[in-house]
Structures are given as structure tokens and as C-alpha cells.
């Protein structure tokens, strides 16, 4: 928070964080594509070899799922940062408009002659 209660963001740092997240996501996706399933019979034709091949295939499936979930998490985090930046930016604009309206109303109401129309129609005294 800023000194006067305002929320402030360093857009450059957040953009850099999003870029880093997206770069990491691309690395995860490329690792996921690099997974190679074992070739049938590569551990031999025995029951133990087939069992070992099944374990390796299951391990590759788990790694693939984990990499996919990691890529999704990185994307969701990057998207969340972007949405927060947009929301804060919009909130700052909305807050500024509201604050200006409030300040104008307070200035008008702080002059009793204006409130009771004693300054004459359309005439406002300086505050």
C-alpha cells in the first residue's frame, strides 16, 4: 500500500513475473513432449520384464500428468496476476472518479449559502 492508503503495483515487475512463469511453462511443456514410453519387450519377455515395463509406463503417465498439472498451474498463476493487474487498474480509475465526485459534493455542501440558495440562482460563493 502507498503512503495515503492507495494500492500500488509495479507493472514492470509483475509483467516480468508473468514472463518468467510463461517461460517456465514452455519448458515444462517441452519436457512433457520429450517423454518416451518404453518399447514393448525392452525389459525382456519374462513376467518380471513385463512387470517392469508396466511400472515404467505407469511412472511415465504420472510424470506426464504432473507436468501437465504444473503447466496448468503456471498458466493459471500468470492469468491470475494479469486479472489482478486489470482489476487494480480499473479500481484506481473508479476510485479516482468517485473521490472527485465526493470532493465536489463536500465542497458544495461546505458552503451553507449555496445549500440554502442564499447566494442567488446560479451564483456560488468561493469555498
Amino acid at each position: 500500500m502507498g503512503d495515503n492508503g492507495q494500492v500500488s503495483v509495479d507493472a514492470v515487475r509483475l509483467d516480468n513475473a508473468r514472463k518468467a512463469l510463461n517461460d517456465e511453462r514452455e519448458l515444462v511443456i517441452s519436457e512433457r513432449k520429450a517423454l518416451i514410453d518404453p518399447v514393448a519387450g525392452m525389459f525382456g519377455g519374462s513376467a518380471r520384464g513385463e512387470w517392469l515395463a508396466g511400472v515404467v509406463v505407469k511412472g511415465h503417465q504420472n510424470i506426464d500428468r504432473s507436468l501437465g498439472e504444473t503447466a496448468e498451474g503456471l498458466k493459471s498463476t500468470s492469468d491470475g496476476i494479469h486479472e489482478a493487474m486489470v482489476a487494480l487498474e480499473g479500481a484506481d480509475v473508479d476510485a479516482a472518479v468517485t473521490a472527485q465526485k465526493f470532493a465536489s459534493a463536500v465542497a458544495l455542501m461546505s458552503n451553507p449559502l449555496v445549500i440554502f440558495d442564499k447566494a442567488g440562482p446560479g451564483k456560488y460563493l468561493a469555498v
Side-chain angles (χ1 to χ4, degrees), residues 7 18 46 54-56 60 64 68 81 85 89 91 95 97:
V7 176
R18 289 188 65 224
S46 69
V55 169
V56 171
H60 280 224
D64 182 63
I81 290 171
M85 289 171 67
E89 196 172 284
V97 170

Side-chain angles (χ1 to χ4, degrees), residues 20 29 34 38 55 68 76 78 82 85 88 91 102 106 119:
I29 289 170
V55 169
S76 295
S78 176
H82 176 70
M85 289 171 67
L88 285 172
F102 183 74
V106 168

Side-chain angles (χ1 to χ4, degrees), residues 30-114:
S30 67
E31 288 297 319
R32 189 175 184 195
K33 291 177 183 175
L35 287 177
I36 300 171
D37 284 330
V39 178
M42 77 181 288
F43 296 106
S46 69
R48 188 170 288 254
E50 289 178 17
W51 172 82
L52 185 55
V55 169
V56 171
V57 167
K58 184 68 173 169
H60 280 224
Q61 290 170 345
N62 289 337
I63 292 168
D64 182 63
R65 187 187 74 247
S66 294
L67 289 173
E69 290 172 356
T70 299
E72 285 179 31
L74 290 167
K75 181 180 183 324
S76 295
T77 303
S78 176
D79 291 347
I81 290 171
H82 176 70
E83 290 171 14
M85 289 171 67
V86 169
L88 285 172
E89 196 172 284
D92 286 347
V93 170
D94 292 344
V97 170
T98 302
Q100 183 59 45
K101 288 180 181 177
F102 183 74
S104 296
V106 168
L108 182 66
M109 292 170 53
S110 66
N111 188 339
L113 295 177
V114 172

